[in-house]
Amino acid sequence: MTSERVLSVEVTENNAGSFPIGVRILVVESDPTCLRIVSKMLQAFGYEVTTATRVTEALHILREKEDEINLILTETHLPDMDQYEILETLGELSSLPIVVFSADNNESAMIGCLYKGAALYLMKPIIKNDVKNLWQLTYRTKIKTAVSGKGSNSFHGGSSEEKASSVTVGNPSSTMGMTDQKGKRKELEETDNDDEDNNNLTVPKKRKLVWTNELHNRFLQAIRILGIDGAHPKKILQHMNVPGLKKENVSSHLQKYRLYLKREQDAMLKTMIRDCHPPSTFNLQGGFSQYTNSQFFMTASQSEYGNNFQNNLCSPMSVHSLGSVHSPSHVKSNYNGILIPNYGQVTSQSKQLYPSYPNSNHTEIRTTTDGNFSRFGQKGNHSVEEHLNQGTTFSNIGTHGPTFLGNSQQQVQFPLLQPQPLPEKEDESDILDIATVEELELLVMEKEFLEDPNNDLCHFYFSTYKPFLNAYNKALKWPSTPKLALVLYNMESKIPENFESAHG
DNA sequence: GGCGCAATAT
DNA sequence: CATATTGCGC
């Protein structure tokens, strides 16, 4: 066992590297919960996911549109087929790399699968690092198969949008042609290329870039590093270091981002003017300035819905994304006992991201009344419950080079809760089993730090704290609002009696 | 030539 | 709808 973990190359330093755009993975797993979690995990890394619960279904999908799939990730214990048979059948039908995952930890099963053609054997529970670099398997396959077509530099790159077909206009990069072969091969093929034997088991003709959480996180991170002055598309692109990403993508996103910020800010100012309650707790600039790093903490009183909350200093968009960066050790409680980490802030000592919009702000929760921006940086999930954010840090932004399969270093590890007894069945109870503010606070922190699929405890949250999750998800609709405060607000009716006294 | 911005296209 | 593309002024 563990051999697959050992097998992984551990590319120490440049772990940030690149990550997949437009890589679609077919996940075959009969257990819906597991399927969901794995899917989510994959999506968090920017993969696109197609799911199947049966082998037959998977076969169907492959027959229909194998060319849209880049990799198969399958459980080994499926109801309709024997484990090795699965591999054989899938292998016959498609030439896609097959990665299996299973709870089987016996060596023979593993070896058997590998022998039967699996490219990789992952053990359940799957963790973040297991899937992080799966795209590289597709890359390998691609190269192998692409050789026939174009010789050397046909790097469809696990990267993104193929400009492949269509293309209304002439061509963007005809001039440069294939000059780029160095460090970052961001450009893809020219418009006219693989005609003859179009090996379409490469990346499909996904042309529109989807700004996933991960992608957006990188975007934000880059901006944060660069500061307002350097936050231009070109630089951002460099810092993001995502293969396949083009400057135009960044520009476009940046444009949207700024627009968003502006609207946020406007709304904020309006509400400030309307009822200018001076910030009761402390003054933003002053209050925050002591923390120059990425850890801010804000106080939030759960008493008032309206105007007691401090807003984030920076991009509301970053609320979700940056959440994962802080270390809980910094979190202290005070005031009402509630202190939550603030996400997104304007770090970069002294320089603010968007000076034109005063960052000092204290506003109401309802800065954006309808929460229509809540989605920024969010993957396009619909059901509220699906809103699980991916926490990821990018400690080594700026380093280049591809990473390899492997679970190298863990970023920030949070000491956390002991595995709780997990009620087998879904607890539909509306009553939260939370006695103190500290517990709740912990829960919020833990959720943010640990919902990270990296941690198995996410199961725990799913099934146990449904009311909390609901409230939390509701809270996400207001990006610039301290989450905990909203969670509290939303849970108001469900907070146990002793709740108040706990922090009184 | 890059950038920001707005309009327009997809 | 989110993203891409284009055109214009800087």
Side-chain angles (χ1 to χ4, degrees), chain A residues 463-479:
Chain A
S463 52
T464 311
Y465 282 91
K466 210 150 191 188
F468 166 79
L469 265 190
N470 289 338
Y472 181 88
N473 285 326
K474 263 191 224 167
L476 289 184
K477 290 188 175 175
W478 290 273

Side-chain angles (χ1 to χ4, degrees), chain A residues 71-89:
Chain A
L71 184 143
I72 303 171
L73 179 60
T74 178
E75 233 282 357
T76 55
H77 299 297
L78 297 170
D80 57 340
M81 206 176 280
D82 162 76
Q83 76 178 93
Y84 296 140
E85 203 181 342
I86 295 172
L87 286 168
E88 285 172 4
T89 314

